[in-house]
Amino acid sequence: DGGITQSPKYLFRKEGQNVTLSCEQNLNHDAMYWYRQDPGQGLRLIYYSQIVNDFQKGDIAEGYSVSREKKESFPLTVTSAQKNPTAFYLCASSTRDSEAFFGQGTRLTVV
Amino acid sequence: QKEVEQNSGPLSVPEGAIASLNCTYSDRGSQSFFWYRQYSGKSPELIMSIYSNGDKEDGRFTAQLNKASQYVSLLIRDSQPSDSATYLCAVMTSGTYKYIFGTGTRLKVLA
């Protein structure tokens, strides 16, 4: 089945630790996106990529990093510089200027 | 800052009634508009996309777009308790292939 797979579903991070969230899609979509959602809030764009080996910062990129080495994969690293990382992280993909489809999300908690 | 605005609600309607959800956007050059439904703790799922002025119907859902007024709406006919969720409006900004999301409207359908 085609879709977007995010892993893990739940992730716990200690203070000062870097963690990486995985996002894989088999929809042959060119564009991929990472959003952050805080309780009761909308989606805020962290990074997006329109083609392999290229990506752009979104509205809240500080403390995050990404790579796009393969069309299917767009991992997000939450670095220790992100001081308030507890949130629901959503990965999405799309063909250009059509609807985006989302993975099931990763819930990150700082412990 | 290009924005998408929605009334946060909650919007309460009785079962069987029509629910009307509204969204305004600031980027006059936006070309693509989307409605997503998000249940608590889950990822957004696409309901409708609309690209040209007028109405687009899909089952119990109708999306309406008025580019001159920078306004997009979603009507849900014969509302059911299972429609209770947060509805997110998304706009693709012109020339960037970024999706900007509103903060969502929480809908409650009362049985």
Side-chain angles (χ1 to χ4, degrees), chain A residues 33 35 37 41-43 45 48 50 59 88 90 94-105 107, chain B residues 1 32 34 36 38 41-46 49 51 88 92 95-104:
Chain A
Y33 307 81
Y35 289 89
Q37 187 175 38
Q41 302 297 311
L43 279 63
L45 182 63
Y48 66 108
Q50 297 177 35
D59 300 318
F88 188 39
L90 289 158
S94 73
T95 57
R96 293 192 180 185
D97 67 43
S98 69
E99 56 269 6
F101 295 93
F102 286 85
Q104 295 306 300
R107 198 165 297 279
Chain B
Q1 174 74 9
S32 307
F34 311 93
Y36 289 83
Q38 186 177 26
K42 303 295 185 183
S43 62
E45 53 182 332
L46 180 73
S49 57
Y51 303 95
L88 300 169
M92 175 169 279
T96 66
Y97 303 108
K98 291 196 305 183
Y99 301 88
I100 305 300
F101 284 82
T103 54

Side-chain angles (χ1 to χ4, degrees), chain B residues 61 67 73 83 87 104 107:
Chain B
F61 299 97
K67 290 185 179 180
S73 65
D83 294 326
Y87 289 80
L107 173 66

Side-chain angles (χ1 to χ4, degrees), chain B residues 14-51:
Chain B
E15 184 176 358
I18 296 175
S20 178
L21 305 165
N22 304 315
C23 172
T24 59
Y25 60 94
S26 62
D27 182 7
R28 187 169 288 277
S30 298
Q31 298 294 319
S32 307
F33 307 87
F34 311 93
W35 282 100
Y36 289 83
R37 177 175 62 197
Q38 186 177 26
Y39 292 112
S40 181
K42 303 295 185 183
S43 62
E45 53 182 332
L46 180 73
I47 299 174
M48 298 275 291
S49 57
I50 187 166
Y51 303 95

